[in-house]
Amino acid sequence: TGTGTGTGTGTGTGTGTGGNILKKAQDLAASAAGFVTHHAHPGAAASSWDGYSIPKQQLQSMTSYPNPLSITDGMRREFHPVVKFDEGKKKKKGPFGLLGRGKESDGSEDDDNMQPYKVMDFTKRSSSSGGSASTTPAPGSLIPPDQWKDLMKQRKKSGITTPYTVGRYDEDRRSMYSSDLFSERQPVDETTGSGSGSGGKRTVHVGIDIGGPVGTKVYAFADGVVHSAGYNEAWGDYGHVVVIEHDLRRPQGECSKEEEQDLPAEKGTSTSTSTCSSKIWALYGHLNSVRGKKPGKRIKRGQVVGAMGDLKDNGGWYDPHVHFQLSTRPPETHDMPGVVSTADRPRALVEYPDPRLVLGPLY
């Protein structure tokens, strides 16, 4: 799920306003007139933003979206799964680990690694908020706080295991977001990037949700440093959330001449090597705790950053899950707008790249 402009508290760096990437609303209107239309994917007319092609149609394949960090298949194979489906059980591992890619990068089915999760569709879900001790809320429901205790007891008593799911990137979930958090529209500061953007109610999801049982471990996909961590307390927000700054390095041969940096020769050799790197900020939201995640703390690839939280920890979402989101710019604090308006979509798809660039083509 995406979040909005709630106040971040805890071990953070300040008050989060959710729109840490998007610039001033006036820029959107001015730039809209300058969109260049062309075709980037069969049957999907596209616009451009900052030189990147933006597909007009939503829910496209991974290769249709901007890749501003030039993440390659080779780099992706080195990333650790953010979630291991059915951890502890014997399952065939594919190139992207137990995360299960389900499809090849060209969109064909991967028969050697059947996906162990269900891909959700929240585009047509009827509005639902809440449940009761005798009913189970619809998938994706945002639960009022006065129902959390009963529903958590019901879940524990039933013994039913929450299935693994994947919630899609660039999905218009206009019937899903019932909290006022998603109606707020704050101008975006051009210098700091703070603010939630403009253009009406925010309904376009710009992260990927990976769902599973309460307590499912969440891992860092690469080495990094904790940028910020805390608890975003607004109803429908991230709850416990961590933002990690990752430094992604590409080997010689995958860098442009402008990007290459000469590194000192390895011990015992006289030949230096070249590499290039780019920073990306990854948000892991709806966790059970952020204890020990102090800003500046080093995180290793595959290190547990938290676990999927229940209602009282995750902002009130009935389905336990981690909201995983990438950003090309550092947020002010432990917050990013996980949902944007349709007017803000072109800019957001560049500044919040498709998480499948890290996770692999899950659908």
Side-chain angles (χ1 to χ4, degrees):
T1 58
T3 74
T5 56
T7 300
T9 61
T11 316
T13 56
T15 299
T17 54
N20 303 309
I21 301 298
L22 309 181
K23 294 183 180 178
K24 288 185 176 180
Q26 300 94 296
D27 293 343
L28 289 169
S31 300
F35 279 1
V36 178
T37 301
H38 56 283
H39 291 275
H41 190 268
S47 302
S48 67
W49 185 274
D50 197 25
Y52 293 97
S53 175
I54 304 298
K56 181 177 180 181
Q57 298 176 7
Q58 294 178 288
L59 299 174
Q60 296 296 304
S61 65
M62 181 180 75
T63 55
S64 298
Y65 290 103
N67 183 1
L69 298 174
S70 301
I71 295 175
T72 65
D73 286 342
M75 293 170 66
R76 189 159 44 246
R77 290 190 179 95
E78 297 300 317
F79 296 152
H80 191 280
V82 172
V83 171
K84 296 181 180 180
F85 289 90
D86 286 344
E87 187 170 22
K89 297 182 180 180
K90 290 185 177 180
K91 269 193 175 291
K92 185 179 293 185
K93 289 186 67 174
F96 298 102
L98 294 176
L99 189 56
R101 67 176 182 175
K103 290 181 178 293
E104 299 285 1
S105 58
D106 62 3
S108 61
E109 295 294 334
D110 177 8
D111 293 331
D112 292 331
N113 190 22
M114 298 300 291
Q115 60 187 47
Y117 51 82
K118 178 181 180 180
V119 178
M120 305 300 290
D121 181 352
F122 291 118
T123 60
K124 300 177 182 179
R125 191 186 69 83
S126 59
S127 181
S128 176
S129 179
S132 68
S134 60
T135 62
T136 300
S141 291
L142 180 58
I143 307 300
D146 62 353
Q147 298 180 23
W148 292 356
K149 187 175 181 179
D150 287 342
L151 286 172
M152 286 189 293
K153 285 183 178 179
Q154 175 188 333
R155 192 199 321 260
K156 187 174 182 179
K157 185 178 180 179
S158 70
I160 298 175
T161 301
T162 304
Y164 291 102
T165 60
V166 168
R168 299 175 292 183
Y169 176 75
D170 191 26
E171 182 176 54
D172 193 342
R173 300 175 171 183
R174 60 184 60 241
S175 64
M176 180 175 178
Y177 299 115
S178 54
S179 168
D180 290 341
L181 197 63
F182 303 98
S183 298
E184 295 179 1
R185 284 167 274 171
Q186 297 180 359
V188 178
D189 186 276
E190 189 171 1
T191 303
T192 65
S194 64
S196 60
S198 64
K201 185 175 181 179
R202 296 181 299 118
T203 61
V204 180
H205 191 241
V206 289
I208 278 185
D209 294 331
I210 305 174
V214 171
T216 298
K217 294 178 182 178
V218 176
Y219 302 87
F221 75 88
D223 292 346
V225 176
V226 174
H227 168 275
S228 50
Y231 182 76
N232 293 8
E233 62 186 6
W235 184 47
D237 212 309
Y238 290 124
H240 294 290
V241 57
V242 177
V243 176
I244 298 177
E245 177 185 305
H246 297 283
D247 191 8
L248 305 183
R249 293 190 176 274
R250 301 196 297 281
Q252 187 176 19
E254 294 184 0
C255 309
S256 67
K257 290 185 177 180
E258 293 76 14
E259 291 179 317
E260 286 186 356
Q261 302 173 359
D262 288 331
L263 297 179
E266 295 183 11
K267 188 175 182 179
T269 70
S270 59
T271 305
S272 64
T273 60
S274 296
T275 186
C276 55
S277 65
S278 51
K279 292 185 183 297
I280 194 165
W281 289 262
L283 181 146
Y284 304 76
H286 308 302
L287 305 178
N288 65 340
S289 173
V290 293
R291 186 177 303 168
K293 304 301 185 295
K294 302 289 186 182
K297 179 180 175 64
R298 293 196 174 277
I299 300 294
K300 299 295 291 182
R301 172 189 177 276
Q303 183 174 335
V304 174
V305 298
M308 296 182 192
D310 211 334
L311 290 158
K312 64 181 177 62
D313 299 315
N314 70 13
W317 297 97
Y318 180 71
D319 302 305
H321 66 284
V322 58
H323 174 94
F324 181 70
Q325 182 169 336
L326 303 175
S327 175
T328 58
R329 288 176 56 183
E332 279 191 324
T333 184
H334 43 85
D335 201 5
M336 295 178 193
V339 180
V340 301
S341 69
T342 54
D344 288 334
R345 175 179 173 266
R347 186 193 296 269
L349 295 187
V350 174
E351 297 183 341
Y352 301 114
D354 188 344
R356 289 177 293 179
L357 293 170
V358 167
L359 303 175
L362 300 175
Y363 57 87

